[in-house]
Amino acid sequence: FDPDGDSLSYQLIVPLQARGEPVPKYLYPDEILPGSDNSLIINELTGDLIWNVPPTVGEFNVAIQINEYRDGFLLNSVIRDMQILVQDCDDKPPTIDVVDEICVIAGTTINIPVTVSDSDFGQKVRISASGGPIIQAISPARIEGSIDYEDSPLTVNFIWETTCEHITNNPYQVVFRGQDDSRNGETGNAVLKKLSIKVVGPPIEDLKAEITQDETVQLTWARPYDCEAAKRDFFLGFKIYRKINSNPFQIDSCRQGLEGKGYEVIKFLTRETLPDLYFYEDKNVDKSKVYCYRVLATFANRSSTGQPFNVVESLSSEEVCLQLNQDIPLITTVSVSDTDPTNGQI
């Protein structure tokens, strides 16, 4: 988990025996007894490590390098070693039942049941969780229910009271670990299940557009905005989008921003207010065109010097469209004064 909201990628590397010194003649676990039924892969985007299947008992070691990117540039990397013990045992691992992914608007309380069960008679199970939501400085997530060994099946609730500070471009990951007590009642086989959570910024409400006396377009929307008081100056302001003619698409509750929708940004940051409303005035308009507007809120983390980075947009507002009054002369009657193939006049 990256607390700055940067992007992460994962890759397997040769473990190090000292700083900058790879282990000589190292073999990856699937290279020791290679075959079509022995593969070791890691998902470079999610970090899921899958070894399918260990062909022999033994003690193995792998190293995973996690790279951190911002705006496409590599910032730094960290290496994590993992020891894998493969043993010959007559036991089935538990199973975990939980949804794979959800998307919520900031301010929503997540309350999801998580059930771990084991098909082996008489075994008890327990469940734990790790991941970004659980280590948040503001309103961390928690598991409500027993964390000790209990009879199977065991159900607990994953609870997270999300806040505006949790809005991000990248989904959070929660990894649930279910374990049985097949080894002397103290430890046993385990299984992992991942839950992906996207927290998005709420849309602005009650967007309206009207033509002013000096023939400009004034936009207004509801004040206060739900996330304008976010801590650590996380809320930046509002971004104004405009398009010639309408695009009445259905808003996706998990998709922030307006990329690919045909709108252009005409104001990157505004927080102008009237007594009870936010507003923006578009003076660059033409009477011959139909203008359509959408407004989004923007958020960003701050550097030590207060500079914003990793800007995140909220869900889009509804669209408003209008056209300026075309108060120009129009010909309504024509009189023919002379009829002639070459010198006719009207």
Side-chain angles (χ1 to χ4, degrees):
F1 168 72
D2 186 84
D4 296 321
D6 294 321
S7 299
L8 302 178
S9 70
Y10 305 79
Q11 65 183 105
L12 289 170
I13 64 169
V14 174
L16 306 180
Q17 63 179 7
R19 182 181 295 274
E21 295 184 23
V23 174
K25 299 182 180 180
Y26 173 80
L27 294 176
Y28 289 98
D30 59 343
E31 295 176 330
I32 295 174
L33 291 174
S36 59
D37 56 350
N38 181 13
S39 68
L40 179 71
I41 60 173
I42 190 167
N43 187 307
E44 64 178 359
L45 298 180
T46 67
D48 290 334
L49 178 70
I50 300 174
W51 187 5
N52 186 21
V53 286
T56 182
V57 298
E59 192 171 328
F60 303 87
N61 204 80
V62 296
I64 303 165
Q65 179 172 305
I66 302 98
N67 302 311
E68 178 186 2
Y69 294 89
R70 183 179 299 169
D71 297 327
F73 294 96
L74 178 64
L75 295 184
N76 54 63
S77 301
V78 64
I79 296 174
R80 171 67 184 266
D81 278 42
M82 178 186 294
Q83 189 181 44
I84 303 173
L85 304 178
V86 180
Q87 299 176 352
D88 189 5
C89 53
D90 185 16
D91 180 68
K92 297 177 182 178
T95 60
I96 296 177
D97 183 21
V98 65
V99 296
D100 293 326
E101 58 182 357
I102 60 172
C103 182
V104 299
I105 293 177
T108 303
T109 296
I110 299 171
N111 192 331
I112 297 176
V114 185
T115 300
V116 57
S117 55
D118 196 293
S119 60
D120 292 310
F121 179 76
Q123 289 185 4
K124 294 181 180 293
V125 292
R126 65 182 179 184
I127 192 166
S128 59
S130 61
I134 294 171
I135 59 175
Q136 289 293 304
I138 299 174
S139 187
R142 66 186 187 276
I143 284 183
E144 195 170 86
S146 176
I147 59 174
D148 297 322
Y149 281 115
E150 302 286 351
D151 291 335
S152 172
L154 169 65
T155 298
V156 299
N157 288 327
F158 171 78
I159 299 174
W160 190 19
E161 298 168 2
T162 65
T163 69
C164 296
E165 293 79 11
H166 299 145
I167 298 169
T168 180
N169 280 321
N170 301 314
Y172 295 89
Q173 293 185 16
V174 180
V175 178
F176 297 101
R177 185 174 189 269
Q179 187 176 35
D180 62 31
D181 64 346
S182 57
R183 309 292 177 85
N184 303 319
E186 297 181 356
T187 184
N189 280 340
V191 65
L192 303 177
K193 182 70 181 291
K194 182 181 64 180
L195 166 63
S196 176
I197 303 174
K198 185 73 175 291
V199 182
V200 298
I204 67 135
E205 300 290 343
D206 201 24
L207 177 64
K208 293 183 173 65
E210 63 178 14
I211 301 169
T212 65
Q213 290 184 348
D214 56 354
E215 300 200 340
T216 62
V217 176
Q218 185 180 77
L219 303 175
T220 59
W221 58 94
R223 179 186 177 206
Y225 171 62
D226 289 343
C227 284
E228 66 179 36
K231 298 178 181 178
R232 301 179 299 201
D233 291 328
F234 189 51
F235 172 65
L236 290 181
F238 300 100
K239 186 181 290 189
I240 314 297
Y241 284 88
R242 188 180 74 180
K243 184 181 183 300
I244 305 300
N245 299 323
S246 175
N247 182 5
F249 65 89
Q250 184 70 32
I251 296 176
D252 185 341
S253 61
C254 276
R255 182 176 178 180
Q256 300 137 295
L258 288 171
E259 184 177 355
K261 301 298 184 182
Y263 296 83
E264 64 173 349
V265 179
I266 60 173
K267 183 67 175 180
F268 278 92
L269 190 63
T270 180
R271 298 176 74 163
E272 293 183 278
T273 60
L274 296 171
D276 299 314
L277 298 167
Y278 284 104
F279 85 98
Y280 174 75
E281 191 170 1
D282 183 11
K283 300 179 180 180
N284 185 23
V285 290
D286 188 326
K287 291 183 179 181
S288 65
K289 298 176 181 177
V290 175
Y291 293 102
C292 296
Y293 298 88
R294 292 181 186 266
V295 179
L296 283 70
T298 59
F299 308 87
N301 290 313
R302 303 277 183 167
S303 68
S304 58
T305 59
Q307 298 301 311
F309 65 92
N310 286 342
V311 176
V312 184
E313 295 183 335
S314 71
L315 296 177
S316 171
S317 71
E318 295 294 340
E319 183 185 61
V320 294
C321 298
L322 49 67
Q323 184 177 21
L324 274 67
N325 295 326
Q326 298 191 57
D327 50 348
I328 56 178
L330 296 176
I331 296 175
T332 59
T333 303
V334 178
S335 299
V336 180
S337 56
D338 290 308
T339 302
D340 186 88
T342 56
N343 299 315
Q345 293 184 355
I346 60 174

